[in-house]
Amino acid sequence: PRWELGDRNPAVFHGFCSTIVLNNPRRRNALSLPMLQSLRRDLLHDVRSRELRVIVIAAEGPVFCSGHDLKELSSEDDVKHHSQVFELCAEVMTLIQKLPVPVIAKVNGLATAAGCQLVASCDIAVASEKSQFATPGVNIGLFCSTPAVALGRSLPRKVALEMLFTGEPLSAQEALMHGLVSKVVPEDKLEEEIMKISQKICESSKSVLALGKATFYRQITQDLDTAYKMTTKVMVDNLTLRDGQEGIEAFVQKRKPVWSH
C-alpha cells in the first residue's frame, strides 16, 4: 500500500509514502527466504519513481518480526542454503541504507534477532509503548552475529553485548534511551506519528535528502579527518544542485522553496 502526501494540486503534492507490510503473523513474520526475497523486491519496487519520498516497514500481528525462520536452518538443509539465507538477509539490511529515500520502521510488538536487526538497520524507527526488542539467539545455540552488526552500530557497546550475551529484551523506553528507536508513542498514536514524520521529510528536496543520506552512512565509518574531508566536498557538491541554490534563494527572499527534486 501507499499513501499520498498532500494532494494532486501541483502546488501542494509532495509525493507518496510506500508502506511495506510483513504479513505472515502465523509465522511471527519470520524472515524466511521467500519473505526476504519479497522484502527486497518491495524495497526496490518504486525506487526509480521521482515521487517516492518515504518507505515505511510495518507488520501485521503482535510480533513485528521474529527473525530467521529456524525451520530453514535445520541440519536437513545444506550449507549452501544456509549461506543463501544469511547472505540475502545481509543484502536486504544494507540495501535499506543504500536507498535514496528514508526508511522508517513502524514497530508495534516484539522484534527479535534478525527482526531486531531490521529495526536497527532502518534510518528511523518509531515504536509503540508495548514493543520489545531482543537478540535471544544465544539461548538456542545460535549467537546473533549478523544482528550484532546493526546493533553494534546503533547501541552503546555494553548495551548491545548485554542483549547479545543474555537474550533479555529491551522495553520500548529502554530502546529509546539507548538509541535503538527514534520515538516511542502510545499504540493509538503510532500511525499519526509516522504520518507526521513522513510529511515533514516530504517538505524537503528528494535530491538533497538522497545526497545527505548517502553521505551520512559513508562518513560514519570513517576516521574524523577523512570524514570532514569527504563531507566538505559533499557540501560544495550540494551547492551545485539546483535545489541547493533554490533553497538558499528562497531563504534570502523569505519565501517557500519550490523543489525540482
Side-chain angles (χ1 to χ4, degrees), residues 119-261:
V119 175
S121 298
C122 288
D123 304 310
I124 297 171
V126 182
S128 67
E129 293 171 333
K130 73 177 186 180
S131 299
Q132 290 185 304
F133 306 86
T135 49
V138 68
N139 297 327
I140 59 165
L142 184 65
F143 197 86
C144 287
S145 294
T146 45
V149 175
L151 249 64
R153 286 160 170 75
S154 298
L155 293 166
R157 182 178 300 180
K158 289 178 173 59
V159 176
L161 285 171
E162 183 178 350
M163 288 182 69
L164 292 162
F165 289 159
T166 68
E168 289 297 305
L170 291 184
S171 68
Q173 288 297 334
E174 288 172 327
L176 176 63
M177 178 175 66
H178 295 304
L180 181 58
V181 301
S182 317
K183 289 188 176 182
V184 173
V185 297
E187 184 177 2
D188 62 354
K189 298 291 184 182
L190 186 56
E191 181 69 22
E192 179 183 331
E193 188 61 34
I194 293 289
M195 176 74 80
K196 179 181 175 183
I197 294 171
S198 298
Q199 289 278 14
K200 188 63 181 176
I201 289 170
C202 290
E203 292 175 9
S204 298
S205 160
K206 180 177 181 178
S207 55
V208 170
L209 283 173
L211 177 63
K213 175 175 173 176
T215 303
F216 177 84
Y217 285 114
R218 282 178 61 197
Q219 66 83 25
I220 204 70
T221 60
Q222 296 174 340
D223 65 80
L224 194 63
D225 290 339
T226 303
Y228 270 119
K229 184 176 181 180
M230 186 268 288
T231 54
T232 296
K233 181 181 183 302
V234 171
M235 293 292 287
V236 175
D237 293 341
N238 196 155
L239 289 172
T240 69
L241 294 179
R242 183 188 306 176
D243 282 349
Q245 287 302 309
E246 166 61 17
I248 293 172
E249 289 175 13
F251 179 81
V252 172
Q253 297 169 9
K254 298 182 179 177
R255 62 173 174 83
K256 287 190 174 182
V258 180
W259 305 123
S260 67
H261 301 293

Side-chain angles (χ1 to χ4, degrees), residues 85-150:
V85 170
F86 289 118
E87 287 169 5
L88 180 55
C89 185
E91 180 185 340
V92 168
M93 300 301 168
T94 54
L95 172 62
I96 289 170
Q97 296 181 356
K98 292 175 182 177
L99 292 171
V101 297
V103 180
I104 304 174
K106 177 185 177 184
V107 187
N108 188 29
L110 182 64
T112 62
C116 189
Q117 179 186 5
L118 179 59
V119 175
S121 298
C122 288
D123 304 310
I124 297 171
V126 182
S128 67
E129 293 171 333
K130 73 177 186 180
S131 299
Q132 290 185 304
F133 306 86
T135 49
V138 68
N139 297 327
I140 59 165
L142 184 65
F143 197 86
C144 287
S145 294
T146 45
V149 175

